Amino acid sequence: MPLLAVNDLTRRFGGVLALNGAEMRIDEGEIVSLIGPNGSGKTTFFNCLTGIYRPDRGNAFWGPGNRDLAGLPPYAITRLGIARTFQNIRLFGRMSALENVMLGGQAGDRLGVWQNLLTLPRAEAGEAARYERACGLLELVGLAQRAADAAGALPYGLQRRLEIARAMATLPKLLLLDEPCAGLNPQEIDALMALVREIRARGVTVLLIEHSMQIVMQVSDRIVVFDAGAKIAEGSPEAVQRDPHVLAAYLGVPENA
Amino acid sequence: MSPAGSSRFAGSFASSLAGLLPFAALLLIPAATANPYVIFVITAALFYSMVALGLNVIVGLSGIWQLAQAAFLAVGGYTAGFLAKEYGISLWIGIPAGAVVAALLSILLALPTLRLRDEYLMIATLNFGIIAQILMTNLDQFTGGTAGMSAIPPITIPWWSNDAGLTLTGAVRPDQQYYVVLIGFVVTWLIVKRLQASPMGRALRAMRDDEIVAQTMGQNTLRLRLIAFAIGCGLAGLAGGIFVARFQSISPAAAGLNNSVLYLAMVIVGGSGNLLGVIVGASILSTLPELLRDLEKYRLLVYGGILVATMVFRPQGLFPERMRSYVGGRAIPAARQGER
C-alpha cells in the first residue's frame, strides 16, 4: 500500500481551475519531485494536501490508517505525519531558532491548561525532551551555533534550513518541501540536497517541488510533472526528460508540429 | 550540543515565584507611608496593572482584539457582589466565583464568534460589551439598575485586625484595600507569567504571528484562541471581584466601552506581550490623571494624544516584547562568536 494516494484532486479559484483531477502515489522511503511550469498547480497541490485549502473534489488517502485527508484541518494532518515548508519562508521571525523548532516539536502536545500553567511534571518532561530533540535537529541542519538567534535575523539560506528543522520536529512520515532551493547559491543547493538525502536515510519520505531540472535529476527517485493542474507525466528522471508532453509544457509546441 | 550553563531553575514555577521577590517591597508600602492619598494612587496603579495583565493574555499574547474587557470585569464584580449581598457568601469565595462566571460567559461568546478574524471579532466584542452594559442597567432585580450595587458586605482579612480593616463609617480602610488589590495583582501576575512561559504560551505567540503556519505545526488554533480568551476574561472577572472588595459597590459604568478602551491603551502603550511594559503602561495611564488634576477637563485629550504618539513613534510600546532566552527550563546556548 502506498504511503499517500491522491486521486482526482480538484480545486477551483473563481474561474481558474488550479487543480484539475491531479493524481499522485508516493511509496514509503522515496524522494519524489513534483515539477511543472509556473501556475501548474504545484503549490495548490501542497496546500490541499496539508489542509490549508479544502479541495472541491477528490481525495488523498493516507496509508497509515487509510484515512482521507481531504477536508481535515491542517493541524490534524500534521499530527497524522505530514509536515511542510513554505515557498516564501514563513518562520516565526521574533522567536529564536530553537523556539521555532520546539514549536514544531509540540505538534502532538495535548496538555491541558493546568498542565501548562503549573508546569506539572508531565509538561516539564515534555519540554525537556523537546529541547533535546530541537537541539539535535538544529545540529542536523547545521544551525547548532545559531540556536539563540532570532529566526528573522538569520541569513536566507539558513532560514530555509531552519524551516526544514521545524517541519522535521513534528515527526513527519512525509515531508513536503516547497521550492527549498529557491534563492540559494550552487554550494547551498548541494548541501541542501545532501540534507534531503540524510532526511530520507532517517526514514522520512520526501516530496519536493522544484523548478530546476538539474536539482531534480540529482536527488529524485521519481519525478511527477504537472501542467494546468493535472499530471502529464511521471517516471525516472531520464524518462521524464525525454517525454514529449513535458517538453511541450516547458518549451511549447513548434508551430509546424 | 549540550545545554550548556543550564539550570533547571530558570523558567520553572519556582522561578516565577522568585520573580515576585521585587514585588515584595510592595508589601511594605502601607507601612512606609501614612498618607492615604499616596496609598490610593498606588492601589489604583496596581489594580489597573492587574486588569491590563489579564487583557494582555488576549491582546498581547494571542493577538485577539478585545473591546469587552470592562464588561467581563463587571460580570465578575456583579457576581461577587450578588453572592455577597443576596446570600451572604464571603467575597473570598465570591471573587473566584466571579472569575469563573466571567470565563464561562466568555466561552459562550467565543464559541460562535472566534472564527471571525481581526476587526470582525473586535466588532463582536464591542457589541457584547454594549449589550452587557445595557443588561446590567436594566436587570434591576439582580443588579440594582443604573445606580448599581452598593453596601456590599466588605471583605475581611481575619488575622489582620480586630476592626476587620474598616473605618468608623464602615468603609474599607485604604491599607486594607491596598492589600486586597495586591493579592489580586500577584495571582494575576503568576497566572499570566506561567502561561507566557509555557508551551501553550509559545503556541499562542506562534498563532498571533502567523496563524496558518501555527496550524501546519500541529496547533489547533481555534482551541488555543478559546483558551486564551477564557483565561483573559476570567482574569477580568477576578479584577471585577477585587474592584467590589475595594469599593463595596459596582455600577454599569464599570462595564463601559471607555474603560475597555482605556485598558487596551494601557497594554499598547506599555508594550503588548511584555509583562513589565504592561505594568508600566497601566501605572502611567492610571497615575497621569492624578498628576494632571488641573487638566481634568482635557483628560481624554491627553489620553488620545498619548495613544497617537505611541502608534506613531513607538508602535511596539515602551517596552517591546523580548525574545525568550531560555526554554524548557534551560538557557538557549548562545552562538560562539568565533564560529560565525
Side-chain angles (χ1 to χ4, degrees):
Chain A
M1 193 170 69
L3 183 64
L4 181 72
V6 181
N7 302 303
D8 194 28
L9 208 61
T10 300
R11 169 76 201 204
R12 189 184 285 278
F13 294 104
V16 180
L17 204 52
L19 279 180
N20 185 11
E23 290 170 23
M24 185 177 289
R25 284 169 64 97
I26 300 174
D27 290 315
E28 208 165 335
E30 280 190 298
I31 297 177
V32 180
S33 290
L34 174 57
I35 65 171
N38 281 325
S40 59
K42 304 185 296 291
T43 295
T44 304
F45 184 74
F46 267 28
N47 284 339
C48 283
L49 276 188
T50 51
I52 293 175
Y53 298 152
R54 184 183 286 264
D56 297 325
R57 201 176 67 220
N59 48 45
F61 279 103
W62 179 238
N66 199 25
R67 284 188 71 168
D68 186 2
L69 301 177
L72 290 183
Y75 67 87
I77 291 173
T78 306
R79 289 174 186 179
L80 285 174
I82 299 183
R84 69 170 294 173
T85 64
F86 293 86
Q87 184 178 356
N88 46 336
I89 298 173
R90 285 169 82 169
L91 289 164
F92 300 108
R94 294 196 279 171
M95 289 188 195
S96 63
L98 183 70
E99 257 203 306
N100 268 278
V101 182
M102 285 187 69
L103 180 81
Q106 65 194 67
D109 186 43
R110 282 194 183 77
L111 291 180
V113 177
W114 298 113
Q115 291 269 2
N116 274 284
L117 285 184
L118 300 176
T119 322
L120 294 182
R122 227 178 95 203
E124 184 156 352
E127 276 286 269
R130 252 196 301 281
Y131 181 95
E132 294 297 338
R133 218 146 45 71
C135 287
L137 283 170
L138 284 177
E139 201 146 20
L140 171 71
V141 301
L143 272 162
Q145 300 305 323
R146 310 300 288 267
D149 291 15
L154 290 171
Y156 189 80
L158 295 185
Q159 290 194 4
R160 287 240 173 254
R161 301 176 76 91
L162 180 57
E163 261 210 340
I164 294 176
R166 183 179 68 176
M168 285 291 288
T170 67
L171 296 179
K173 294 187 181 67
L174 174 63
L175 180 61
L176 308 181
L177 301 175
D178 196 348
E179 291 199 29
C181 295
L184 301 188
N185 67 36
Q187 289 82 27
E188 287 173 325
I189 290 175
D190 285 346
L192 196 77
M193 288 306 111
L195 175 62
V196 169
R197 284 191 208 94
E198 168 65 24
I199 284 170
R200 190 251 301 266
R202 293 184 172 211
V204 177
T205 308
V206 179
L207 174 61
L208 183 82
I209 290 183
E210 194 44 72
H211 266 303
S212 155
M213 275 284 191
Q214 261 187 318
I215 296 170
V216 165
M217 297 298 151
Q218 285 180 43
V219 76
S220 319
D221 300 318
R222 197 153 56 81
I223 293 177
V224 177
V225 189
F226 272 21
D227 189 32
K231 184 172 83 179
I232 56 166
E234 178 178 1
S236 69
E238 296 74 27
V240 163
Q241 227 171 359
R242 290 190 302 269
D243 190 296
H245 297 291
V246 178
L247 294 175
Y250 266 87
L251 305 173
V253 185
E255 297 246 340
N256 55 358
Chain B
M1 184 165 65
S2 70
S6 69
S7 122
R8 302 291 296 152
F9 185 61
S12 69
F13 191 71
S15 89
S16 288
L17 285 175
L20 277 173
L21 281 179
F23 297 125
L26 290 173
L27 278 173
L28 303 173
I29 282 179
T33 171
N35 184 344
Y37 178 68
V38 171
I39 296 180
F40 169 81
V41 170
I42 297 176
T43 306
L46 272 182
F47 176 78
Y48 285 113
S49 295
M50 164 172 56
V51 177
L53 281 174
L55 182 59
N56 178 56
V57 172
I58 301 174
V59 176
L61 193 53
S62 317
I64 302 167
W65 289 96
Q66 151 83 320
L67 275 175
Q69 194 74 356
F72 285 105
L73 184 146
V75 165
Y78 272 110
T79 304
F82 184 74
L83 290 175
K85 254 186 109 102
E86 300 295 321
Y87 299 104
I89 295 172
S90 160
L91 284 180
W92 288 113
I93 297 167
I95 292 173
V100 170
V101 169
L104 291 178
L105 193 65
S106 77
I107 291 173
L108 276 185
L109 169 67
L111 281 175
T113 56
L114 268 190
R115 281 174 200 273
L116 298 175
R117 288 291 167 267
D118 303 333
E119 44 278 84
Y120 299 101
L121 179 57
M122 190 162 84
I123 300 285
T125 63
L126 171 76
N127 283 305
F128 174 83
I130 291 170
I131 292 168
Q133 196 182 17
I134 292 173
L135 284 176
M136 285 163 192
T137 311
N138 290 292
L139 291 172
D140 303 32
Q141 63 272 41
F142 301 112
T143 63
T146 317
M149 274 182 203
S150 54
I152 295 165
I155 195 165
T156 50
I157 304 181
W159 61 90
W160 177 248
S161 59
N162 299 329
D163 58 2
L166 302 183
T167 62
L168 291 175
T169 57
V172 181
R173 248 181 13 211
D175 56 343
Q176 173 124 8
Q177 283 186 24
Y178 174 83
Y179 283 117
V180 168
V181 171
L182 186 60
I183 292 172
F185 170 81
V186 166
V187 169
T188 303
W189 190 86
L190 265 179
I191 290 175
V192 176
K193 180 86 178 160
R194 287 318 303 157
L195 180 65
Q196 206 173 34
S198 72
M200 190 175 274
R202 180 183 305 131
L204 288 172
R205 279 179 283 132
M207 169 182 81
R208 175 195 67 194
D209 289 350
D210 191 333
E211 183 158 356
I212 296 280
V213 177
Q215 286 178 358
T216 63
M217 289 298 123
Q219 297 301 326
N220 181 349
T221 52
L222 206 61
R223 171 177 177 266
L224 284 174
R225 282 153 79 89
L226 192 67
I227 289 173
F229 196 66
I231 291 177
C233 291
L235 291 175
L238 178 77
I242 299 287
F243 180 93
V244 161
R246 192 175 156 212
F247 295 121
Q248 295 172 262
S249 68
I250 187 161
S251 75
L257 177 63
N258 52 341
N259 283 325
S260 288
V261 173
L262 172 64
Y263 304 150
L264 204 53
M266 290 170 168
V267 172
I268 291 168
V269 168
S272 94
N274 182 322
L275 299 195
L276 182 69
V278 169
I279 292 172
V280 171
S283 302
I284 291 177
L285 287 190
S286 68
T287 313
L288 216 54
E290 300 299 330
L291 298 177
L292 302 174
R293 265 282 145 105
D294 303 336
L295 300 175
E296 184 83 50
K297 270 186 280 183
Y298 306 105
R299 206 175 82 178
L300 287 176
L301 208 61
V302 173
Y303 275 178
I306 290 176
L307 258 185
V308 170
T310 305
M311 294 325 271
V312 171
F313 296 111
R314 208 166 164 81
Q316 70 277 47
L318 291 174
F319 297 86
E321 183 180 37
R322 281 177 307 175
M323 204 173 68
R324 306 197 70 79
S325 55
Y326 60 83
V327 288
R330 296 134 192 255
I332 300 175
R336 272 162 275 177
Q337 296 297 327
E339 290 178 66
R340 286 207 179 167

PDB file of all heavy atoms in Angstrom, chain B residues 163-184:
ATOM      1  N   ASP B 163     -10.767  45.279  63.864  1.00  0.00           N
ATOM      2  CA  ASP B 163     -11.870  46.006  63.249  1.00  0.00           C
ATOM      3  C   ASP B 163     -12.087  45.572  61.801  1.00  0.00           C
ATOM      4  O   ASP B 163     -12.784  46.232  61.058  1.00  0.00           O
ATOM      5  CB  ASP B 163     -11.611  47.519  63.310  1.00  0.00           C
ATOM      6  CG  ASP B 163     -10.308  47.876  62.615  1.00  0.00           C
ATOM      7  OD1 ASP B 163      -9.657  46.963  62.068  1.00  0.00           O
ATOM      8  OD2 ASP B 163      -9.940  49.056  62.607  1.00  0.00           O
ATOM      9  N   ALA B 164     -11.480  44.434  61.405  1.00  0.00           N
ATOM     10  CA  ALA B 164     -11.651  43.895  60.062  1.00  0.00           C
ATOM     11  C   ALA B 164     -11.257  44.899  58.990  1.00  0.00           C
ATOM     12  O   ALA B 164     -11.730  44.839  57.870  1.00  0.00           O
ATOM     13  CB  ALA B 164     -13.094  43.426  59.842  1.00  0.00           C
ATOM     14  N   GLY B 165     -10.386  45.812  59.326  1.00  0.00           N
ATOM     15  CA  GLY B 165      -9.868  46.735  58.330  1.00  0.00           C
ATOM     16  C   GLY B 165     -10.873  47.770  57.869  1.00  0.00           C
ATOM     17  O   GLY B 165     -10.786  48.292  56.772  1.00  0.00           O
ATOM     18  N   LEU B 166     -11.844  48.076  58.702  1.00  0.00           N
ATOM     19  CA  LEU B 166     -12.849  49.057  58.293  1.00  0.00           C
ATOM     20  C   LEU B 166     -12.633  50.374  59.026  1.00  0.00           C
ATOM     21  O   LEU B 166     -12.142  50.413  60.144  1.00  0.00           O
ATOM     22  CB  LEU B 166     -14.254  48.542  58.608  1.00  0.00           C
ATOM     23  CG  LEU B 166     -14.643  47.215  57.965  1.00  0.00           C
ATOM     24  CD1 LEU B 166     -16.075  46.878  58.301  1.00  0.00           C
ATOM     25  CD2 LEU B 166     -14.431  47.266  56.472  1.00  0.00           C
ATOM     26  N   THR B 167     -13.017  51.463  58.380  1.00  0.00           N
ATOM     27  CA  THR B 167     -13.015  52.743  59.057  1.00  0.00           C
ATOM     28  C   THR B 167     -14.282  52.831  59.906  1.00  0.00           C
ATOM     29  O   THR B 167     -15.147  51.954  59.854  1.00  0.00           O
ATOM     30  CB  THR B 167     -13.013  53.909  58.059  1.00  0.00           C
ATOM     31  OG1 THR B 167     -14.211  53.811  57.293  1.00  0.00           O
ATOM     32  CG2 THR B 167     -11.824  53.833  57.142  1.00  0.00           C
ATOM     33  N   LEU B 168     -14.388  53.877  60.668  1.00  0.00           N
ATOM     34  CA  LEU B 168     -15.532  54.018  61.577  1.00  0.00           C
ATOM     35  C   LEU B 168     -16.852  54.043  60.803  1.00  0.00           C
ATOM     36  O   LEU B 168     -17.890  53.621  61.303  1.00  0.00           O
ATOM     37  CB  LEU B 168     -15.389  55.293  62.406  1.00  0.00           C
ATOM     38  CG  LEU B 168     -14.241  55.218  63.420  1.00  0.00           C
ATOM     39  CD1 LEU B 168     -14.067  56.545  64.132  1.00  0.00           C
ATOM     40  CD2 LEU B 168     -14.490  54.098  64.415  1.00  0.00           C
ATOM     41  N   THR B 169     -16.798  54.545  59.574  1.00  0.00           N
ATOM     42  CA  THR B 169     -18.036  54.614  58.791  1.00  0.00           C
ATOM     43  C   THR B 169     -18.351  53.304  58.088  1.00  0.00           C
ATOM     44  O   THR B 169     -19.318  53.204  57.343  1.00  0.00           O
ATOM     45  CB  THR B 169     -17.935  55.729  57.734  1.00  0.00           C
ATOM     46  OG1 THR B 169     -16.784  55.449  56.925  1.00  0.00           O
ATOM     47  CG2 THR B 169     -17.780  57.088  58.364  1.00  0.00           C
ATOM     48  N   GLY B 170     -17.515  52.305  58.275  1.00  0.00           N
ATOM     49  CA  GLY B 170     -17.807  51.001  57.671  1.00  0.00           C
ATOM     50  C   GLY B 170     -17.194  50.811  56.299  1.00  0.00           C
ATOM     51  O   GLY B 170     -17.446  49.809  55.641  1.00  0.00           O
ATOM     52  N   ALA B 171     -16.383  51.783  55.840  1.00  0.00           N
ATOM     53  CA  ALA B 171     -15.726  51.630  54.549  1.00  0.00           C
ATOM     54  C   ALA B 171     -14.433  50.825  54.729  1.00  0.00           C
ATOM     55  O   ALA B 171     -13.927  50.713  55.859  1.00  0.00           O
ATOM     56  CB  ALA B 171     -15.410  52.995  53.951  1.00  0.00           C
ATOM     57  N   VAL B 172     -13.927  50.265  53.623  1.00  0.00           N
ATOM     58  CA  VAL B 172     -12.681  49.511  53.698  1.00  0.00           C
ATOM     59  C   VAL B 172     -11.519  50.491  53.801  1.00  0.00           C
ATOM     60  O   VAL B 172     -11.406  51.419  53.010  1.00  0.00           O
ATOM     61  CB  VAL B 172     -12.512  48.621  52.455  1.00  0.00           C
ATOM     62  CG1 VAL B 172     -11.224  47.810  52.558  1.00  0.00           C
ATOM     63  CG2 VAL B 172     -13.693  47.692  52.303  1.00  0.00           C
ATOM     64  N   ARG B 173     -10.672  50.296  54.807  1.00  0.00           N
ATOM     65  CA  ARG B 173      -9.556  51.210  55.029  1.00  0.00           C
ATOM     66  C   ARG B 173      -8.575  51.164  53.857  1.00  0.00           C
ATOM     67  O   ARG B 173      -8.395  50.106  53.260  1.00  0.00           O
ATOM     68  CB  ARG B 173      -8.816  50.805  56.310  1.00  0.00           C
ATOM     69  CG  ARG B 173      -8.977  51.819  57.412  1.00  0.00           C
ATOM     70  CD  ARG B 173      -8.249  51.443  58.669  1.00  0.00           C
ATOM     71  NE  ARG B 173      -7.289  50.372  58.566  1.00  0.00           N
ATOM     72  CZ  ARG B 173      -7.021  49.547  59.575  1.00  0.00           C
ATOM     73  NH1 ARG B 173      -7.679  49.631  60.700  1.00  0.00           N
ATOM     74  NH2 ARG B 173      -6.103  48.617  59.439  1.00  0.00           N
ATOM     75  N   PRO B 174      -7.920  52.299  53.537  1.00  0.00           N
ATOM     76  CA  PRO B 174      -7.027  52.325  52.370  1.00  0.00           C
ATOM     77  C   PRO B 174      -5.974  51.223  52.393  1.00  0.00           C
ATOM     78  O   PRO B 174      -5.715  50.594  51.377  1.00  0.00           O
ATOM     79  CB  PRO B 174      -6.382  53.712  52.463  1.00  0.00           C
ATOM     80  CG  PRO B 174      -7.342  54.533  53.229  1.00  0.00           C
ATOM     81  CD  PRO B 174      -8.046  53.607  54.174  1.00  0.00           C
ATOM     82  N   ASP B 175      -5.358  50.983  53.557  1.00  0.00           N
ATOM     83  CA  ASP B 175      -4.294  49.979  53.544  1.00  0.00           C
ATOM     84  C   ASP B 175      -4.861  48.582  53.325  1.00  0.00           C
ATOM     85  O   ASP B 175      -4.246  47.735  52.688  1.00  0.00           O
ATOM     86  CB  ASP B 175      -3.446  50.050  54.826  1.00  0.00           C
ATOM     87  CG  ASP B 175      -4.283  49.897  56.074  1.00  0.00           C
ATOM     88  OD1 ASP B 175      -5.514  50.055  55.968  1.00  0.00           O
ATOM     89  OD2 ASP B 175      -3.719  49.611  57.142  1.00  0.00           O
ATOM     90  N   GLN B 176      -6.065  48.367  53.823  1.00  0.00           N
ATOM     91  CA  GLN B 176      -6.674  47.063  53.578  1.00  0.00           C
ATOM     92  C   GLN B 176      -7.059  46.904  52.099  1.00  0.00           C
ATOM     93  O   GLN B 176      -6.847  45.859  51.497  1.00  0.00           O
ATOM     94  CB  GLN B 176      -7.906  46.887  54.452  1.00  0.00           C
ATOM     95  CG  GLN B 176      -8.660  45.614  54.111  1.00  0.00           C
ATOM     96  CD  GLN B 176      -8.837  44.718  55.297  1.00  0.00           C
ATOM     97  OE1 GLN B 176      -8.535  45.089  56.419  1.00  0.00           O
ATOM     98  NE2 GLN B 176      -9.319  43.520  55.062  1.00  0.00           N
ATOM     99  N   GLN B 177      -7.612  47.978  51.523  1.00  0.00           N
ATOM    100  CA  GLN B 177      -7.871  47.978  50.076  1.00  0.00           C
ATOM    101  C   GLN B 177      -6.616  47.618  49.321  1.00  0.00           C
ATOM    102  O   GLN B 177      -6.618  46.813  48.399  1.00  0.00           O
ATOM    103  CB  GLN B 177      -8.281  49.386  49.615  1.00  0.00           C
ATOM    104  CG  GLN B 177      -9.677  49.799  49.931  1.00  0.00           C
ATOM    105  CD  GLN B 177      -9.959  51.160  49.284  1.00  0.00           C
ATOM    106  OE1 GLN B 177      -9.340  51.547  48.315  1.00  0.00           O
ATOM    107  NE2 GLN B 177     -10.921  51.872  49.849  1.00  0.00           N
ATOM    108  N   TYR B 178      -5.535  48.232  49.766  1.00  0.00           N
ATOM    109  CA  TYR B 178      -4.258  48.027  49.089  1.00  0.00           C
ATOM    110  C   TYR B 178      -3.871  46.554  49.097  1.00  0.00           C
ATOM    111  O   TYR B 178      -3.501  45.991  48.065  1.00  0.00           O
ATOM    112  CB  TYR B 178      -3.180  48.876  49.770  1.00  0.00           C
ATOM    113  CG  TYR B 178      -1.802  48.626  49.236  1.00  0.00           C
ATOM    114  CD1 TYR B 178      -1.358  49.251  48.080  1.00  0.00           C
ATOM    115  CD2 TYR B 178      -0.937  47.745  49.885  1.00  0.00           C
ATOM    116  CE1 TYR B 178      -0.101  49.010  47.583  1.00  0.00           C
ATOM    117  CE2 TYR B 178       0.328  47.498  49.390  1.00  0.00           C
ATOM    118  CZ  TYR B 178       0.742  48.135  48.244  1.00  0.00           C
ATOM    119  OH  TYR B 178       1.995  47.885  47.753  1.00  0.00           O
ATOM    120  N   TYR B 179      -3.980  45.904  50.253  1.00  0.00           N
ATOM    121  CA  TYR B 179      -3.543  44.510  50.324  1.00  0.00           C
ATOM    122  C   TYR B 179      -4.448  43.587  49.528  1.00  0.00           C
ATOM    123  O   TYR B 179      -4.003  42.616  48.929  1.00  0.00           O
ATOM    124  CB  TYR B 179      -3.453  44.045  51.790  1.00  0.00           C
ATOM    125  CG  TYR B 179      -2.223  44.578  52.468  1.00  0.00           C
ATOM    126  CD1 TYR B 179      -2.304  45.441  53.553  1.00  0.00           C
ATOM    127  CD2 TYR B 179      -0.960  44.230  51.991  1.00  0.00           C
ATOM    128  CE1 TYR B 179      -1.170  45.943  54.150  1.00  0.00           C
ATOM    129  CE2 TYR B 179       0.186  44.733  52.591  1.00  0.00           C
ATOM    130  CZ  TYR B 179       0.079  45.583  53.672  1.00  0.00           C
ATOM    131  OH  TYR B 179       1.203  46.084  54.244  1.00  0.00           O
ATOM    132  N   VAL B 180      -5.743  43.900  49.507  1.00  0.00           N
ATOM    133  CA  VAL B 180      -6.654  43.091  48.703  1.00  0.00           C
ATOM    134  C   VAL B 180      -6.281  43.187  47.221  1.00  0.00           C
ATOM    135  O   VAL B 180      -6.210  42.178  46.508  1.00  0.00           O
ATOM    136  CB  VAL B 180      -8.117  43.539  48.931  1.00  0.00           C
ATOM    137  CG1 VAL B 180      -9.032  42.905  47.897  1.00  0.00           C
ATOM    138  CG2 VAL B 180      -8.570  43.172  50.335  1.00  0.00           C
ATOM    139  N   VAL B 181      -6.024  44.395  46.760  1.00  0.00           N
ATOM    140  CA  VAL B 181      -5.627  44.580  45.362  1.00  0.00           C
ATOM    141  C   VAL B 181      -4.296  43.881  45.088  1.00  0.00           C
ATOM    142  O   VAL B 181      -4.101  43.249  44.040  1.00  0.00           O
ATOM    143  CB  VAL B 181      -5.546  46.082  45.017  1.00  0.00           C
ATOM    144  CG1 VAL B 181      -4.912  46.286  43.637  1.00  0.00           C
ATOM    145  CG2 VAL B 181      -6.924  46.699  45.064  1.00  0.00           C
ATOM    146  N   LEU B 182      -3.385  43.963  46.078  1.00  0.00           N
ATOM    147  CA  LEU B 182      -2.075  43.331  45.900  1.00  0.00           C
ATOM    148  C   LEU B 182      -2.225  41.813  45.709  1.00  0.00           C
ATOM    149  O   LEU B 182      -1.555  41.208  44.863  1.00  0.00           O
ATOM    150  CB  LEU B 182      -1.180  43.637  47.108  1.00  0.00           C
ATOM    151  CG  LEU B 182       0.279  43.175  47.004  1.00  0.00           C
ATOM    152  CD1 LEU B 182       0.962  43.830  45.808  1.00  0.00           C
ATOM    153  CD2 LEU B 182       1.037  43.479  48.285  1.00  0.00           C
ATOM    154  N   ILE B 183      -3.128  41.213  46.472  1.00  0.00           N
ATOM    155  CA  ILE B 183      -3.364  39.765  46.316  1.00  0.00           C
ATOM    156  C   ILE B 183      -3.838  39.467  44.889  1.00  0.00           C
ATOM    157  O   ILE B 183      -3.324  38.570  44.226  1.00  0.00           O
ATOM    158  CB  ILE B 183      -4.406  39.269  47.346  1.00  0.00           C
ATOM    159  CG1 ILE B 183      -3.821  39.346  48.759  1.00  0.00           C
ATOM    160  CG2 ILE B 183      -4.833  37.831  47.024  1.00  0.00           C
ATOM    161  CD1 ILE B 183      -4.843  39.067  49.850  1.00  0.00           C
ATOM    162  N   GLY B 184      -4.804  40.247  44.433  1.00  0.00           N
ATOM    163  CA  GLY B 184      -5.315  40.034  43.074  1.00  0.00           C
ATOM    164  C   GLY B 184      -4.230  40.213  42.025  1.00  0.00           C
ATOM    165  O   GLY B 184      -4.122  39.436  41.078  1.00  0.00           O
TER     166      GLY B 184
END
